[in-house]
């Protein structure tokens, strides 16, 4: 990594910690609402990133497998729940999407090379599902009778953050083996990946501060 990338890489980690801390500070306001699970999610992500950062100092483990088989799937399944089950109130859709996403591991496991930094087929498939949910959420917000109060809707900030990070970096991870050979393009897109991650977690923090959570 370049010096600039190292700085924003560290900043991304601490932005995750800040988001988790802010969510904890606002927990009492939402402890009786389903939004409390977003707090648990942010804490979970920060702890996982801490394990990824310092875990090798304590125990020998496969970092790639930890992210590919555990952390990343949990991220996608949580957002499927947040959009489909909570925002759209369609629990069956959440279960179907989660099942379809998990089935995408079959070709990765038995057909493709699993010795990769990121399972591109699973990440791509998860992002495509998430992209559909993101578009549906935008459509829901635009057609809402409460559109003038969008700044008080926590899903507005979450949806924007997910758009910038997951959807915005979809081409990067989908075509990662190809992009990696072009160092200038790779460095620019990798920097965007890190910066968009920072912005996403800042938006998650704002969703607690400015957003008005409802059950």
């Amino acid at each position: 990594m370049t010096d600039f990338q190292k700085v924003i890489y560290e900043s991304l980690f601490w932005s995750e910690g800040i988001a988790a801390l802010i969510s904890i500070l606002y927990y009492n306001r939402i402890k009786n609402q389903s939004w409390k699970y977003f707090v648990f999610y942010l804490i979970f992500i920060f702890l996982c990133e801490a394990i990824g950062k310092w875990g090798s100092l304590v125990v020998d483990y496969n970092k790639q497998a930890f992210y590919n088989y555990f952390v990343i799937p949990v991220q996608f399944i949580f957002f499927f729940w947040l959009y489909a089950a909570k925002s759209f109130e369609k629990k069956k859709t959440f279960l179907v999407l989660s099942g379809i996403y998990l089935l995408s591991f079959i070709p990765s496991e038995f057909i493709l090379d699993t010795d990769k930094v990121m399972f591109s087929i699973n990440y791509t498939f998860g992002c495509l599902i998430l992209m559909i949910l993101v578009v549906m959420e935008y459509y829901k917000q635009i057609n809402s009778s409460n559109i003038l109060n969008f700044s008080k809707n926590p899903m507005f900030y979450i949806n924007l953050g997910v758009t910038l990070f997951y959807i915005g970096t979809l081409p990067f991870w989908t075509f990662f083996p190809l992009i990696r050979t072009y160092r200038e393009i790779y460095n620019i897109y990798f920097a965007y990946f890190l910066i968009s991650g920072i912005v996403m977690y800042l938006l998650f923090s704002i969703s607690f501060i400015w957003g008005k959570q409802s059950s």
Side-chain angles (χ1 to χ4, degrees):
M1 288 190 291
T2 64
D3 291 339
F4 175 69
Q5 290 171 349
K6 290 178 181 178
V7 171
I8 55 178
Y9 179 80
E10 287 294 322
S11 299
L12 173 58
F13 173 74
W14 293 113
S15 69
E16 294 168 341
I18 290 171
L21 176 60
I22 290 176
S23 71
I24 293 172
L25 295 176
Y26 281 81
Y27 180 76
N28 285 334
R29 294 186 183 183
I30 58 174
K31 62 182 179 181
N32 296 321
Q33 303 172 15
S34 56
W35 281 105
K36 65 183 179 182
Y37 297 111
F38 192 39
V39 178
F40 301 151
Y41 169 78
L42 293 174
I43 296 171
F44 165 82
I45 290 299
F46 179 67
L47 292 177
C48 286
E49 291 294 346
I51 292 173
K53 187 177 180 63
W54 296 307
S56 59
L57 300 176
V58 179
V59 61
D60 184 23
Y61 76 108
N62 189 324
K63 185 176 179 178
Q64 291 178 206
F66 175 64
Y67 278 91
N68 285 323
Y69 289 110
F70 181 60
V71 180
I72 294 175
V74 169
Q75 289 179 1
F76 279 120
I77 290 174
F78 174 81
F79 282 113
F80 295 163
W81 170 82
L82 185 64
Y83 281 89
K86 187 185 184 304
S87 183
F88 306 143
E89 298 181 345
K90 296 181 179 180
K91 294 182 179 180
K92 289 185 178 180
T93 301
F94 157 65
L95 294 174
V96 170
L97 293 178
S98 298
I100 293 174
Y101 166 70
L102 292 174
L103 287 174
S104 69
F105 278 84
I106 295 176
S108 290
E109 192 67 28
F110 297 102
I111 301 176
L112 303 177
D113 181 15
T114 58
D115 186 23
K116 294 181 178 181
V117 175
M118 181 86 75
F119 290 170
S120 61
I121 186 171
N122 305 110
Y123 191 85
T124 299
F125 198 65
C127 281
L128 289 175
I129 295 174
L130 201 53
M131 183 167 60
I132 295 172
L133 295 173
V134 163
V135 172
M136 291 174 63
E137 178 62 30
Y138 279 126
Y139 181 81
K140 175 186 174 183
Q141 292 180 19
I142 291 172
N143 289 277
S144 172
S145 59
N146 200 33
I147 188 174
L148 295 179
N149 294 317
F150 71 92
S151 62
K152 295 181 180 180
N153 181 5
M155 279 303 294
F156 169 77
Y157 302 103
I158 294 171
N159 206 41
L160 181 57
V162 169
T163 300
L164 293 173
F165 182 72
Y166 287 96
I167 311 306
T169 60
L170 174 58
F172 178 68
W173 292 111
T174 301
F175 302 106
F176 183 78
L178 179 62
I179 293 176
R180 186 169 52 182
T181 60
Y182 299 92
R183 298 307 300 180
E184 290 186 5
I185 297 176
Y186 169 83
N187 286 331
I188 292 171
Y189 216 151
F190 184 61
Y192 171 81
F193 166 75
L194 297 173
I195 293 171
S196 64
I198 294 170
V199 173
M200 180 178 71
Y201 282 100
L202 291 177
L203 287 168
F204 287 173
S205 300
I206 291 172
S207 73
F208 288 98
I209 298 171
W210 291 349
K212 183 179 180 182
Q213 287 79 6
S214 62
S215 58

